[in-house]
Amino acid sequence: MARGATPDREGGYRSSPKDAGAALSYGARRSETQGEDRKHLDEQWARVRVRLRHEVGENAFSSWLKPLTLVGPRGDRIRMAVPSRFMRDWINGNYSQRLAELWTEERNLAVGVEVVVQPPARPAPRDPQESVSSPVARAPARQVEETVQDQPPKFERRRDVDGSQGDGFTPTAGAEMRDLEISASLDPRFTFDKFIVGKPNELAYAAARRIAEAEAVPFNPLFLYGGVGLGKTHLMHAIAWHLREFRPEKRVIYLSAEKFMYQFIRALRTKDTVAFKEQFRSVDVLMIDDVQFIGNRDATQEEFFHTFNALVDQNRQVVISADKSPSDLEGVQERMKSRLGWGLVADIHPTTYELRLGILESKAESVGVTIPRRVLEFLAHKITSNIRELEGALNRIVAHATLVGRPVTLETTQEVLTDLLRANDRRVTIEEIQRKVAEHFNIRITDMHSARRARAVARPRQIAMYLAKQLTSRSLPEIGRKFGGRDHTTVMHAVKKVDELKATDHRFAEDVELLRRMLEG
């Protein structure tokens, strides 16, 4: 019999109040000690996270390391959890060694790191009053965001397209993690506020803004096309940023067509195409950049075609970008071209001088270095190829002024950008004009030299002659010889005819002006 115990009415024994108090005191001390150990471990993990964020950068940290959660120590190892096998394999291959080093420094003894897959568990039914009284509900907005991010993923009912609740549960946080694995990182510079609007891009900007702000799908798909560095990717990132801020409940995937193809091939190899289809066909907004890269990829086009149809049928938004209009995409099936042209097709034209100057002025305000207006005007005149190259030139000037300590002048600008200015001053050749015009009007390059007089061939040939006269220093007889040995009077007639058509046919004038800008850029 235990010391101090007394018999109870059933013939057993019960502990005295003194023994019971001692047992309770021991349990409380043990619980308190365990709480202190866990608190200490959480503090160590917080410091490790800060160092990781600083070392790998915000984009890599958000994509791969932020979802890591601390499970606890197990022998001489620290167990960490992620929601998917794909993420676990990536962390083991790229970050496990550095994680072990940081934990070793924190705990002052050699430890290893074990990353395990811990899928989100279905929670017990919640009291409706809980959302009102919970700490998260009472916390400020910023604190709520931090609290929710540190909690394990939850399941919640997902509403069907018609607004009714489905019978099953859909893993919201788990699905977001899978979206995170697939989606490309968003550039924080590419928002609507930082997009400079001008005549060449005003339609594309207005359409992108409408999609980001609309309650219902306004047009499907939105197809953005234009040359390199004109702002297509900027607008797609801006849509995603706006939705993330104002419609966080929406599932958005943004990625390049090349990565879509890679994910599809990977699903084929792992025999996991069902998960692939479910992933892409259950999002609210799907954005595919540079769709021209799936040209001549029949299997990828087939899957993209069915994904596109499934999303449109469910009234989910699709946004596509390419370097050409749907009808001009090479190696793309006709039915795909037809589907891509269903909604709104918005062309981003080459930049004008006014738009380039506006972009430079906006950029100059944010860099903190005084840049004379004549330098900005010089750059806007000289660098006409694309916005990306224009901003790169400004960055080089600012870096030179900051590192060398010399003020920005027109002379230093010309000195720093010698190679870039030389590339933009290149002379346009007649051969290049012929090739560009032939591509634009979908005729063969040999038609530029042939004797064919059909209007579908003769008119583009006249435009090429006109542009050769405008953009090169070649004489009329030299130009004529480049077009199948034609006489200089033929070139004169072509120049006169194009001038007349430009004055009377607005669409024809736009075609000629677009070709001129493309060749000058």
Side-chain angles (χ1 to χ4, degrees):
M1 181 173 66
R3 183 180 178 182
T6 58
D8 59 17
R9 291 181 180 179
E10 285 74 26
Y13 293 89
R14 68 176 188 272
S15 299
S16 69
K18 182 177 180 181
D19 288 333
L24 287 171
S25 177
Y26 170 75
R29 287 198 304 273
R30 183 178 179 186
S31 176
E32 184 178 347
T33 302
Q34 290 176 339
E36 289 176 355
D37 289 344
R38 179 66 196 195
K39 182 180 179 182
H40 183 55
L41 198 65
D42 288 339
E43 290 172 351
Q44 291 175 334
W45 173 224
R47 289 192 291 269
V48 169
R49 282 168 62 91
V50 169
R51 293 184 65 180
L52 282 172
R53 187 192 295 267
H54 178 72
E55 290 178 10
V56 306
E58 187 62 37
N59 286 341
F61 180 86
S62 296
S63 297
W64 302 109
L65 298 170
K66 193 172 184 178
L68 266 174
T69 57
L70 176 63
V71 177
R74 185 176 184 180
D76 62 347
R77 304 179 73 81
I78 297 292
R79 300 190 81 194
M80 316 289 297
V82 290
S84 70
R85 287 178 297 172
F86 180 84
M87 192 169 286
R88 177 199 63 190
D89 295 342
W90 182 271
I91 290 172
N92 282 336
N94 295 274
Y95 300 111
S96 60
Q97 183 177 349
R98 186 54 183 157
L99 276 166
E101 291 171 355
L102 292 174
W103 273 110
T104 296
E105 292 176 19
E106 284 291 335
R107 297 179 70 80
N108 295 320
L109 74 158
V111 298
V113 170
E114 179 184 3
V115 182
V116 299
V117 178
Q118 184 173 297
R122 183 180 298 182
R126 296 175 56 185
D127 188 330
Q129 297 300 320
E130 183 181 347
S131 60
V132 177
S133 59
S134 68
V136 172
R138 294 193 303 269
R142 189 163 189 166
Q143 184 180 340
V144 168
E145 181 181 353
E146 293 171 356
T147 306
V148 171
Q149 287 173 350
D150 290 338
Q151 292 175 345
K154 291 184 173 65
F155 282 70
E156 67 179 25
R157 286 193 183 272
R158 180 177 179 85
R159 292 189 176 274
D160 293 335
V161 178
D162 62 0
S164 61
Q165 283 191 334
D167 294 332
F169 285 84
T170 298
T172 55
E176 287 171 5
M177 286 302 177
R178 291 195 299 273
D179 294 348
L180 188 63
E181 295 171 18
I182 293 176
S183 293
S185 298
L186 298 177
D187 193 321
R189 300 171 301 167
F190 292 169
T191 62
F192 284 124
D193 293 340
K194 296 178 182 177
F195 188 86
I196 307 302
V197 184
K199 189 174 181 181
N201 59 27
E202 60 186 357
L203 173 61
Y205 171 83
R209 191 102 201 190
R210 172 70 64 84
I211 280 177
E213 296 174 350
E215 293 290 332
V217 175
F219 25 74
N220 215 1
L222 170 61
F223 190 99
L224 303 172
Y225 79 95
V228 175
L230 296 182
K232 302 185 299 295
T233 299
H234 188 142
L235 286 176
M236 297 182 85
H237 283 226
I239 293 172
W241 279 121
H242 192 277
L243 291 172
R244 178 177 290 186
E245 182 176 358
F246 295 102
R247 305 290 294 277
E249 75 281 1
K250 283 188 175 288
R251 288 182 56 199
V252 180
I253 287 183
Y254 162 78
L255 75 166
S256 66
E258 188 176 18
K259 191 171 182 183
F260 178 88
M261 180 172 62
Y262 164 76
Q263 293 290 342
F264 177 58
I265 293 172
R266 181 173 175 271
L268 289 175
R269 287 176 178 171
T270 58
K271 299 181 180 179
D272 198 18
T273 54
V274 173
F276 174 88
K277 294 175 188 292
E278 181 182 350
Q279 173 73 17
F280 280 96
R281 299 182 191 186
S282 61
V283 298
D284 296 299
V285 181
L286 176 63
M287 296 192 286
I288 306 289
D289 210 352
D290 292 324
V291 79
Q292 69 270 10
F293 287 118
I294 66 172
N296 298 314
R297 308 280 185 174
D298 292 342
T300 303
Q301 283 188 48
E302 188 75 17
E303 179 57 37
F304 179 73
F305 176 81
H306 292 302
T307 298
F308 177 92
N309 282 342
L311 290 172
V312 172
D313 289 346
Q314 297 176 69
N315 204 30
R316 310 285 177 84
Q317 182 68 61
V318 180
V319 183
I320 307 291
S321 82
D323 60 351
K324 298 176 182 176
S325 68
S327 59
D328 292 332
L329 291 173
E330 298 175 1
V332 175
Q333 301 166 1
E334 286 302 320
R335 62 174 183 169
M336 177 61 70
K337 292 180 181 180
S338 174
R339 295 293 192 278
L340 294 176
W342 260 0
L344 176 63
V345 177
D347 181 10
I348 303 180
H349 296 284
T351 57
T352 60
Y353 167 76
E354 292 77 13
L355 180 57
R356 292 194 295 273
L357 184 59
I359 291 168
L360 287 171
E361 289 173 341
S362 174
K363 181 78 174 177
E365 289 178 3
S366 65
V367 296
V369 175
T370 302
I371 300 176
R373 182 173 176 81
R374 63 193 298 250
V375 170
L376 299 179
E377 292 173 346
F378 173 78
L379 292 177
H381 272 299
K382 285 292 185 180
I383 302 177
T384 60
S385 52
N386 61 66
I387 298 169
R388 199 172 297 154
E389 195 170 75
L390 191 67
E391 291 185 343
L394 187 64
N395 289 338
R396 283 173 63 176
I397 295 169
V398 171
H400 182 268
T402 305
L403 298 173
V404 178
R406 292 169 58 185
V408 178
T409 64
L410 190 56
E411 291 71 26
T412 59
T413 297
Q414 291 172 313
E415 179 184 332
V416 172
L417 302 178
T418 301
D419 58 327
L420 195 58
L421 295 173
R422 188 187 302 120
N424 277 272
D425 280 340
R426 65 179 178 80
R427 295 185 179 276
V428 180
T429 64
I430 293 178
E431 290 77 11
E432 186 178 1
I433 292 171
Q434 291 174 337
R435 184 174 66 254
K436 187 69 70 175
V437 173
E439 288 176 358
H440 183 79
F441 289 100
N442 198 27
I443 63 174
R444 295 172 299 179
I445 190 70
T446 54
D447 289 332
M448 291 290 170
H449 313 96
S450 72
R452 292 182 61 195
R453 303 185 65 175
R455 175 170 292 187
V457 172
R459 191 70 77 218
R461 190 163 54 218
Q462 288 177 330
I463 292 173
M465 291 181 184
Y466 171 86
L467 292 170
K469 175 68 171 63
Q470 298 294 321
L471 302 178
T472 73
S473 57
R474 298 295 186 93
S475 65
L476 295 179
E478 287 178 306
I479 294 173
R481 284 195 292 271
K482 291 287 186 178
F483 285 84
R486 285 176 164 78
D487 188 77
H488 74 282
T489 56
T490 304
V491 180
M492 290 174 61
H493 173 73
V495 172
K496 181 179 179 182
K497 186 65 176 177
V498 170
D499 276 330
E500 290 174 355
L501 289 171
K502 283 178 63 180
T504 58
D505 188 333
H506 178 67
R507 179 173 293 183
F508 180 85
E510 281 188 346
D511 269 347
V512 175
E513 180 64 15
L514 175 61
L515 283 164
R516 185 185 67 78
R517 288 179 180 175
M518 290 167 63
L519 288 162
E520 287 182 331

